[in-house]
Amino acid sequence: LNIIAGVDQLWDTGSAVGSDAGNATSGRLELDSAVRAGSIVVENRGALEGDVDTNVCPQDATCDYGHVSGLKRQASRAIYDIPGEQIRILAGDTDALSVPLQRSTEVLGLSIEKSPGKLNPGENITSAGAGSFRLERASSVDVMINGAVVQRLQLRPGNYNLRDLPLTTGANDIELTITADNGERQTLSFSAYSDQKLLAAGKSEWALAAGLPSYLMDNERTYSDGSYLGTGFFRYGIRDGLTGDADLQGDATVIMGGVGVAIDTNLGIVGLHGAGSKGSAGTGVAADLTWSLANFKGFTEERGESLHFNAEYRSTDFHTPGESLNGADGILYPEFNYWLRLNGSYSAPVTGDITATVSGRYQFGDEDRETPGVQANSGDRYGVDLTLSSALTPTENANLLTGYSNEIYVRDAKKDLTQDADFRVALRFNVRPDEKSSVVAGYDTLGQQTAVSGYRGEGSGVGRWDTSIDVQNRGYEETGSINASAGYRGNRGELRLSHFADAKSINLGTLDGDVTRQRTSLRAGTSIAFAGSKVAIGAPIRGGAFAIVAPHESIAGKDVTVGTTEDVRAVADQLGNGLVSDLPAYLPASISVDVEDLPIGYSLGSGAFDTFAPYKGGYAIEVGSAYSVSVYGTMVMADGQPVSLITGLAYPEGQPGKKVSIFTNAEGRFGAEGLAPGRWIADMATEGAPTHFIIDVPEGTNGLVKAGTLQPSEGSSQ
């Protein structure tokens, strides 16, 4: 059970309106739980919200929902995995997967999917990265090209496809640095802006889902009553380098189906997908063509050039199931209806560390298309630009863009979304003073947009802290924002303090502006976990599985450290067991442990535990045991001659199933570890027949025991 509690302070700016007017203070409690019983996992997520709305309206959207305080359920579901078949079955609030031209819509119902990426992530069945990802929390997403941040997006929780994001700069290889509202960061890499995946011969992936469409409305799960949706797709590796797919999706108003193929040729990967729809709005067709060619030698003398092209056609009456949910959550994104969208880019190394990228985009507006619930605009949108990226030093790089574009996203729905095209110049610097810090600054004449951000993180695991600040000024709509946060992760929980401010404009020299909204938030997070009979309190569990580490009674009171001195993952101490909160699911992992001030000779064994956890599985690991005694001494025969260079096995009297290896040197000295208090029989493999020795370990012994000189027991072979 993850517990995130906090308090939010909304400050009176004198110009806020609606729910943001005046000072307000309220608490907040988030609960996120998972219980695994046998092979079934039950998950629940919800929040108790106060009067202050903690969500930040995305930069390119208009939010018109009314915030209401109270208890809000966000998701409930049961999950059953069949790892051997790479199949996952979900009942409840599901995450419906999708392929090109399909719409990704969450449903309350049932879904079944074959997903090697989730249930066998160690198997590489694809030759190109997918272009889809999922956000569990509201997040800011930095789009990075050649190590430089070229764009920042503010996104709500949900499933996203890279091609559907409002990206204004084309490129071949990009990275997304995702920072959640709780400060958690992750980096995703994508190749060639392509969602084409080539499966190995005979490999497949598929998904089916059906139920009531759902969405988050003011952070509460809401369902579209009386409107059912079904969706599915199937992809199969016909042979190496050739993958086929088919999909079908429908709701009460429209049904859509499609087929496609992706093939690896000498001239790159080519993907073609076609679809048709039929519903109350008419019958329509759509087609999508993608061509990607990476790491080739063309105009330059060295390999490293790459080319990407995408063309998508949609007839006026082509519609996808789930469109009726547009804007149902109270968040209106601008949508530029089009009948043809073209996107291409070419990247090549120029000289030294300089890389050049030429990209162009053109979206032909469709004035006749009707899409419900969106901030629609039918004008053409286009842009062309040249980007030069260069590493100035090992820790600094720069990105210079020149082009011509009319691609601007306006937050205010009342403003005209049609923008006049203009020449643009954008310059961005990315500086890493050290491995722990980064500073990004940039300016774009298109819309007079300025952005400055800095980040620093210190340490790893327990004791880690980070701080960040981000300042943006959007001159074209006379708005700006400042977002700053600082966080700390401890052994039993985490803390984060953040501040957000919206302004009509910002003076970057003085950080002054006419503030329209200002909020300060404090969050404290912890988790309670149990596995078997073990219970632990630690930092929130965000990995696929976890482990509880507890000391054996023989070393009770001593601190058990999990991980290394540079990366302490958990500590079992006087306050309780340690909790390792980031184990991967369906991947092998190792948990190393160390104990402070162990008794001399105390045996911990290998000092590491290997895991292979199921989804949301919990390990109960006991460090140390009763069999932790190390014994040394000398063995001699009845005539006083040493038992030289002999191996044997020791076992507790009456328990021959528990055996410990033992051996002697040339003088008959021996050593053995892993014994426990009591009488042990040592069978030494002497010539003819084994010779038996008695090793007595006193009760209450911990660590090292000197056995002295041992002679054969009565009845032993002499």
Side-chain angles (χ1 to χ4, degrees), residues 501-540:
D502 246 343
K504 289 184 178 179
S505 61
I506 293 180
N507 186 319
L508 293 179
T510 62
L511 293 183
D512 290 334
D514 186 3
V515 178
T516 58
R517 179 176 52 172
Q518 191 168 200
R519 188 188 72 238
T520 303
S521 300
L522 176 65
R523 297 284 184 268
T526 189
S527 67
I528 304 172
F530 67 90
S533 61
K534 304 294 184 184
V535 179
I537 296 176

Side-chain angles (χ1 to χ4, degrees), residues 102 110 133 155 257 324 355 361 374 421 542 579:
Q102 278 190 327
L110 183 68
F133 61 95
L155 302 178
S324 59
T355 300
R361 304 157 300 283
V374 298
R542 298 195 175 97
L579 178 60

Side-chain angles (χ1 to χ4, degrees), residues 233-251:
F233 71 85
F234 178 80
R235 305 187 69 250
Y236 182 75
I238 301 171
R239 59 173 174 80
D240 287 341
L242 178 61
T243 298
D245 64 79
D247 59 87
L248 185 65
Q249 191 174 53
D251 63 10

Side-chain angles (χ1 to χ4, degrees), residues 66-238:
H67 174 69
V68 178
S69 61
L71 182 63
K72 302 176 180 180
R73 188 185 62 82
Q74 297 170 338
S76 302
R77 62 185 186 180
I79 301 173
Y80 178 74
D81 287 344
I82 310 175
E85 303 296 328
Q86 302 174 354
I87 291 176
R88 169 166 291 178
I89 303 173
L90 297 92
D93 295 310
T94 68
D95 305 329
L97 301 178
S98 62
V99 293
L101 299 180
Q102 278 190 327
R103 182 185 180 93
S104 181
T105 302
E106 297 175 316
V107 298
L108 171 64
L110 183 68
S111 75
I112 306 175
E113 63 182 78
K114 181 179 181 181
S115 177
K118 294 179 181 178
L119 280 86
N120 191 7
E123 181 186 17
N124 182 18
I125 69 165
T126 174
S127 62
S132 59
F133 61 95
R134 176 172 176 79
L135 298 180
E136 297 293 344
R137 308 179 66 93
S139 305
S140 62
V141 180
D142 290 332
V143 182
M144 303 183 68
I145 299 175
N146 297 325
V149 177
V150 300
Q151 194 168 359
R152 168 164 292 186
L153 307 170
Q154 198 75 30
L155 302 178
R156 288 295 184 92
N159 294 316
Y160 292 91
N161 193 292
L162 196 64
R163 64 188 299 169
D164 295 328
L165 296 181
L167 302 175
T168 59
T169 301
N172 260 346
D173 298 308
I174 69 171
E175 284 187 348
L176 300 183
T177 299
I178 301 172
T179 305
D181 58 4
N182 62 1
E184 185 180 357
R185 291 166 65 94
Q186 63 173 317
T187 300
L188 303 177
S189 298
F190 297 94
S191 175
Y193 273 22
S194 173
D195 52 16
Q196 295 296 325
K197 292 191 297 181
L198 290 176
L199 302 180
K203 299 294 184 179
S204 65
E205 58 181 4
W206 48 265
L208 296 170
L212 282 175
S214 70
Y215 52 91
L216 288 177
M217 175 71 168
D218 188 30
N219 257 356
E220 183 173 17
R221 182 62 57 181
T222 306
Y223 303 100
S224 179
D225 294 336
S227 176
Y228 294 92
L229 183 143
T231 183
F233 71 85
F234 178 80
R235 305 187 69 250
Y236 182 75
I238 301 171

Side-chain angles (χ1 to χ4, degrees), residues 50 212 235 259-260 339 346 350 357 398 427 468 494 502 520 536 552 567 620 669 718:
L212 282 175
R235 305 187 69 250
V259 294
W339 65 271
Y346 166 75
V350 181
T357 300
L427 181 63
S468 65
E494 61 184 22
D502 246 343
T520 303
H552 183 261
D567 182 12
R669 296 190 180 94
Q718 301 298 309

Side-chain angles (χ1 to χ4, degrees), residues 456-534:
R456 180 171 178 83
E458 184 74 38
S460 178
V462 175
R464 186 188 188 283
W465 63 265
D466 65 86
T467 182
S468 65
I469 184 170
D470 177 71
V471 181
Q472 296 189 49
N473 192 37
R474 297 173 287 276
Y476 67 95
E477 59 177 7
E478 297 181 344
T479 63
S481 62
I482 297 178
N483 199 340
S485 72
Y488 174 80
R489 183 184 187 278
N491 188 40
R492 304 295 174 189
E494 61 184 22
L495 288 171
R496 181 159 298 276
L497 178 66
S498 62
H499 184 82
F500 174 82
D502 246 343
K504 289 184 178 179
S505 61
I506 293 180
N507 186 319
L508 293 179
T510 62
L511 293 183
D512 290 334
D514 186 3
V515 178
T516 58
R517 179 176 52 172
Q518 191 168 200
R519 188 188 72 238
T520 303
S521 300
L522 176 65
R523 297 284 184 268
T526 189
S527 67
I528 304 172
F530 67 90
S533 61
K534 304 294 184 184

Side-chain angles (χ1 to χ4, degrees), residues 276-287:
S277 69
K278 182 177 179 59
S280 57
T283 301
V285 295

